[in-house]
Amino acid sequence: MLYAPFSTHVGAHLHNLLSYYHHGKLDWYFTPEIRNLNFNEFDNFDVVAIHHSIRYDPKRHKILKRKLNQFLGKKILFLQDEYLYTGRSIEFIQDVNFDLVYSCVPKQHIKKIYDNSLTSKRRFISILTGYVKDWELNKKFIKPIESRKIDLGYRGREPEYSWGSLVREKFTFPQKILKELYNSEIKTDISFRDKDRIYGKKWIDFNQECKAMLGTESGSNLFDFNNDLIKKEKKLKLKNPNLTFEEYLIVLKSMGYFEYEKLMNVISPRIFEAIENKTLLVLMEGRYSDVITPKKHYFSLKKDLSNLNEMIKLLKDNNKIQQIVDRAYNDIICSEKYGYKAYVHKIEKEILSLTFSDKIKNEKSIFFLMASKKPRKNFILYYLIKLWLISPKSLRKFFPR
């Protein structure tokens, strides 16, 4: 499994990698891929998998692409955030000729995005963007609702225009709620500032200080098939620094771009984390991959906030909240249906269903120079990013993230 070491400070990436270490039955090895600094040899392996933390760039991954094409074994690609540089991903799939492609695009919509990449020899399999980190559940203390100090929490940031309307709701929807709750009895801790972003154990602690957590569906319906949406956004903003998001969409439409209608509205890893910590989910109305049910597992807040008073009433009722979070925990977490163990089992089942031309290799005497049996967090980058987030904006522009 090749992964981007500079992304392991993000919990969702690291947890996904660790899931193979904790639950895998196959003999997994993990190797960092640093753009064109690729010293790996794949011939001693039956399968090479590209983790979703690696976002293919034709200029930075020339060596990787060449070595994958020389490799005679099975090749697997994991995709995520597929709206970003969609054209590059499609090019990578076709040029390397992957056997299995794991996509976060729902099964019924795969053809709309990857039609030209569908062949009889290549299988596309839909997966969720994240799962429950089930190897640590029994070690966790969960604070009861009545002991929590914050009624409603949230962390987010203003997204790029090129990420589309669905992503933007993660910024605009909590803003609307915060405005409506101003001077109310509800204690909120909602922030969109970079310096207030929370990672790792501190995010879990924050979850357990909040009775409820805001959220929206994840994903984007604006796919970048031409690999130029980010460049176009920058040019438009240079031309008009006061360009609004609505104006941006109008310009895009005039250029022939469009957003799909509810194609990529999916559940996010943050929702599983809240359920795992028995924090009530207050979510903008949606389907959330049909994993959770309104009223039963979370409070569904109307987009126009017409049932805001109902939410306020619920946030004052600790017993009612406790009943909902306990039910969600039992149905989603304890069922093990959405845990990483089930996820890894699904991945390995598909791998073993492939037809291998030669005898399965099992030599264990030959190792990569940088390979390991367990993926590791990049602590140096983690603290550099923390330092970057608290730096003044005037300084940050000279050191782009």
Side-chain angles (χ1 to χ4, degrees):
M1 174 80 80
L2 273 73
Y3 68 97
F6 303 124
S7 69
T8 52
H9 68 285
V10 178
H13 291 325
L14 184 61
H15 299 161
N16 183 281
L17 287 164
L18 286 171
S19 69
Y20 299 94
Y21 170 78
H22 288 285
H23 297 308
K25 301 297 183 185
L26 301 181
D27 196 15
W28 291 92
Y29 288 83
F30 302 90
T31 310
E33 163 62 33
I34 310 174
R35 297 179 179 178
N36 273 323
L37 299 176
N38 187 304
F39 303 105
N40 304 310
E41 296 298 336
F42 303 143
D43 291 341
N44 298 306
F45 294 87
D46 301 287
V47 180
V48 172
I50 308 299
H51 190 254
H52 64 244
S53 57
I54 296 176
R55 184 170 292 122
Y56 173 69
D57 184 325
K59 294 180 180 178
R60 295 172 177 172
H61 293 119
K62 291 179 182 178
I63 297 176
L64 172 62
K65 183 177 175 181
R66 175 169 54 81
K67 290 193 173 186
L68 285 170
N69 280 322
Q70 293 171 348
F71 177 60
L72 300 178
K74 300 301 180 182
K75 289 165 275 194
I76 303 173
L77 177 63
F78 292 88
L79 296 170
Q80 202 166 102
D81 295 334
E82 292 156 75
Y83 55 92
L84 295 172
Y85 298 109
T86 312
R88 288 182 182 177
S89 297
I90 292 172
E91 174 193 331
F92 195 35
I93 291 168
Q94 295 175 348
D95 290 354
V96 172
N97 198 22
F98 286 95
D99 299 278
L100 291 175
V101 178
Y102 289 91
S103 167
C104 295
V105 175
K107 182 179 179 180
Q108 65 272 26
H109 299 310
I110 289 285
K111 190 174 182 179
K112 293 178 182 177
I113 307 301
Y114 298 108
D115 188 24
N116 294 331
S117 302
L118 297 173
T119 71
S120 59
K121 295 182 179 180
R122 180 184 300 125
R123 292 208 301 272
F124 276 79
I125 300 162
S126 292
I127 53 176
L128 300 177
T129 57
Y131 293 82
V132 177
K133 190 175 70 169
D134 44 15
W135 56 87
E136 287 186 349
L137 287 177
N138 296 330
K139 302 176 183 178
K140 182 179 291 186
F141 166 76
I142 300 177
K143 186 181 288 189
I145 292 297
E146 62 182 10
S147 302
R148 304 190 183 195
K149 299 175 182 178
I150 303 165
D151 291 322
L152 189 62
Y154 183 76
R155 285 295 183 273
R157 60 183 169 189
E158 184 171 5
E160 305 294 338
Y161 287 1
S162 53
W163 296 356
S165 302
L166 185 59
V167 178
R168 191 152 188 84
E169 285 176 344
K170 293 179 178 293
F171 175 66
T172 57
F173 189 62
Q175 275 192 325
K176 284 169 60 178
I177 297 167
L178 187 60
K179 185 178 179 180
E180 290 295 323
L181 294 178
Y182 185 72
N183 284 335
S184 74
E185 297 176 6
I186 301 301
K187 297 177 182 177
T188 63
D189 190 340
I190 298 172
S191 177
F192 307 95
R193 297 180 298 181
D194 279 335
K195 69 176 185 179
D196 292 334
R197 292 185 68 78
I198 307 170
Y199 295 98
K201 187 179 181 300
K202 288 183 178 180
W203 174 251
I204 302 303
D205 294 339
F206 179 64
N207 256 273
Q208 294 206 25
E209 281 300 328
C210 297
K211 292 181 183 179
M213 191 70 67
L214 279 171
T216 64
E217 287 180 304
S218 191
S220 173
N221 294 310
L222 180 60
F223 286 80
D224 190 5
F225 292 105
N226 296 327
N227 308 314
D228 61 356
L229 283 177
I230 293 175
K231 286 183 179 179
K232 286 187 182 300
E233 178 186 351
K234 289 179 179 178
K235 287 181 180 179
L236 288 169
K237 284 183 175 178
L238 280 173
K239 189 175 180 180
N240 178 12
N242 298 316
L243 182 77
T244 66
F245 178 68
E246 290 72 23
E247 290 169 341
Y248 169 76
L249 289 181
I250 292 171
V251 175
L252 279 191
K253 189 175 181 180
S254 69
M255 294 177 175
Y257 294 87
F258 66 96
E259 290 191 277
Y260 287 94
E261 182 66 26
K262 295 185 178 180
L263 182 149
M264 197 60 198
N265 298 40
V266 296
I267 194 169
S268 76
R270 290 296 196 207
I271 288 176
F272 287 121
E273 289 172 354
I275 297 173
E276 182 184 332
N277 287 285
K278 292 194 174 183
T279 303
L280 175 69
L281 286 160
V282 174
L283 305 177
M284 189 176 81
E285 54 187 334
R287 292 188 61 175
Y288 298 91
S289 304
D290 296 325
V291 172
I292 50 179
T293 306
K295 294 184 180 179
K296 186 178 182 182
H297 301 132
Y298 70 98
F299 181 85
S300 179
L301 187 56
K302 300 290 185 183
K303 196 170 183 177
D304 61 4
L305 305 185
S306 57
N307 61 339
L308 185 68
N309 288 335
E310 190 180 338
M311 181 204 78
I312 293 172
K313 183 180 178 181
L314 175 60
L315 291 180
K316 294 178 180 179
D317 191 339
N318 291 338
N319 291 331
K320 182 67 174 176
I321 294 174
Q322 194 69 59
Q323 289 174 14
I324 296 173
V325 298
D326 287 345
R327 188 186 305 118
Y329 188 91
N330 290 331
D331 291 352
I332 306 301
I333 308 299
C334 295
S335 70
E336 299 183 355
K337 184 178 179 181
Y338 301 104
Y340 269 114
K341 185 175 183 179
Y343 161 80
V344 173
H345 175 75
K346 177 180 179 179
I347 301 299
E348 293 191 337
K349 184 179 179 181
E350 293 290 346
I351 292 173
L352 291 172
S353 72
L354 295 171
T355 302
F356 291 87
S357 57
D358 299 317
K359 183 180 177 182
I360 300 294
K361 300 181 178 71
N362 58 9
E363 301 106 328
K364 296 186 179 180
S365 59
I366 303 175
F367 295 90
F368 291 150
L369 178 66
M370 299 175 69
S372 67
K373 293 292 287 181
K374 184 178 182 180
R376 303 188 184 281
K377 182 175 181 177
N378 190 318
F379 284 99
I380 295 175
L381 185 74
Y382 173 76
Y383 287 111
L384 282 174
I385 288 174
K386 292 288 287 184
L387 181 63
W388 184 87
L389 289 172
I390 62 174
S391 301
K393 287 187 177 181
S394 58
L395 182 63
R396 273 193 266 171
K397 68 181 181 181
F398 294 105
F399 301 97
R401 182 170 173 182

